[in-house]
Amino acid sequence: GAVVSQHPSRVICKSGTSVKIECRSLDFQATTMFWYRQFPKKSLMLMATSNEGSKATYEQGVEKDKFLINHASLTLSTLTVTSAHPEDSSFYICSARKVGYEQYFGPGTRLTVT
Amino acid sequence: QKEVEQNSGPLSVPEGAIASLNCTYSDRVSQSFFWYRQYSGKSPELIMSIYSNGDKEDGRFTAQLNKASQYVSLLIRDSQPSDSATYLCAVSGMDSNYQLIWGAGTKLIIKP
């Protein structure tokens, strides 16, 4: 199997606070994990790529100081949205890659910043 | 710039018919091709991967790859209302992380 979990599934926070989202590969070791965001009725947008034990690679236009990514082990990556604002409200989805090419997605985290 | 193109739809297909979804890609050195299904409000789910020219069948799904034409397709036989979703085509390049290049997706509607 290839199961990826994400926690929390839904979070509401106040503007200015920080939110941490966890992504775990439950039954395999993930060589690489990816973080995406998706606005309603829009395409997936890759935010960053992370490999265990090294710094994440951010896509152009994604602020690394605002979206902190830590990939501490082969089964866990975290995304922290710092000083969240209403425009950060979105659907955040992680995926994990097994050895090979296929990516498996977590169920996503819906973030609402009030 | 590497691109993956899909018709956004919606593609409307009667229940029981064959749904045909198409995708073209720009990078000739692409090696791996994927179809994901995404229901509204949910995350994408991998349904097919294909790596070599020809057809690959899995249940009601058939993926077709033609590298010379830079074209990949997904056929869904005996379409069911539960197949109604957005289908995303993704292509992997040769970078070290096998990052996927995504199409914008085709919305498929199966009409009972």
Side-chain angles (χ1 to χ4, degrees):
Chain A
V3 182
V4 178
S5 71
Q6 234 178 291
H7 178 79
S9 59
R10 188 178 294 267
V11 58
I12 300 172
C13 71
K14 293 188 182 230
S15 188
T17 60
S18 295
V19 173
K20 180 186 281 190
I21 302 169
E22 285 190 353
C23 177
R24 292 181 186 271
S25 55
L26 298 184
D27 54 358
F28 66 99
Q29 293 188 322
T31 310
T32 308
M33 288 185 169
F34 302 87
W35 287 95
Y36 296 84
R37 66 189 293 183
Q38 188 174 37
F39 292 107
K41 301 190 188 302
K42 298 294 185 184
S43 303
L44 285 173
M45 187 190 85
L46 179 65
M47 298 174 67
T49 301
S50 74
N51 290 291
E52 182 259 342
S54 58
K55 289 185 179 179
T57 303
Y58 290 80
E59 295 300 300
Q60 193 171 9
V62 178
E63 299 174 58
K64 65 174 84 172
D65 294 330
K66 180 165 186 63
F67 298 100
L68 299 177
I69 292 171
N70 184 277
H71 194 155
S73 75
L74 284 170
T75 60
L76 174 64
S77 177
T78 60
L79 167 68
T80 300
V81 183
T82 62
S83 186
H85 290 283
E87 58 266 29
D88 298 323
S89 298
S90 188
F91 190 41
Y92 292 86
I93 320 172
C94 73
S95 70
R97 184 175 70 83
K98 294 169 75 168
V99 175
Y101 305 98
E102 299 175 349
Q103 286 185 29
Y104 297 90
F105 283 83
T109 297
R110 195 162 302 282
L111 171 64
T112 303
V113 185
T114 61
Chain B
Q1 185 174 351
K2 300 172 187 176
E3 293 182 341
V4 175
E5 301 281 344
Q6 291 182 258
N7 188 317
S8 61
L11 173 65
S12 185
V13 173
E15 184 176 358
I18 296 175
S20 178
L21 303 161
N22 304 313
C23 172
T24 60
Y25 59 95
S26 63
D27 190 355
R28 281 199 169 275
V29 301
S30 298
Q31 296 291 315
S32 312
F33 308 86
F34 306 92
W35 284 99
Y36 286 80
R37 177 176 62 198
Q38 187 175 23
Y39 292 113
S40 181
K42 302 294 184 182
S43 65
E45 173 191 8
L46 178 65
I47 53 172
M48 287 288 284
S49 58
I50 186 165
Y51 303 100
S52 55
N53 279 328
D55 294 1
K56 178 182 176 183
E57 188 175 318
D58 183 0
R60 295 187 296 113
F61 299 100
T62 299
Q64 299 175 318
L65 174 62
N66 184 324
K67 288 187 179 181
S69 301
Q70 295 175 235
Y71 176 92
V72 59
S73 65
L74 179 70
L75 301 177
I76 307 174
R77 289 182 298 283
D78 188 24
S79 298
Q80 304 296 310
S82 59
D83 295 326
S84 298
T86 296
Y87 288 81
L88 302 169
C89 173
V91 175
S92 176
M94 295 295 288
D95 70 289
S96 59
N97 290 315
Y98 305 110
Q99 194 179 98
L100 295 180
I101 309 300
W102 294 88
T106 298
K107 184 171 183 177
L108 175 66
I109 298 172
I110 306 299
K111 291 193 169 179

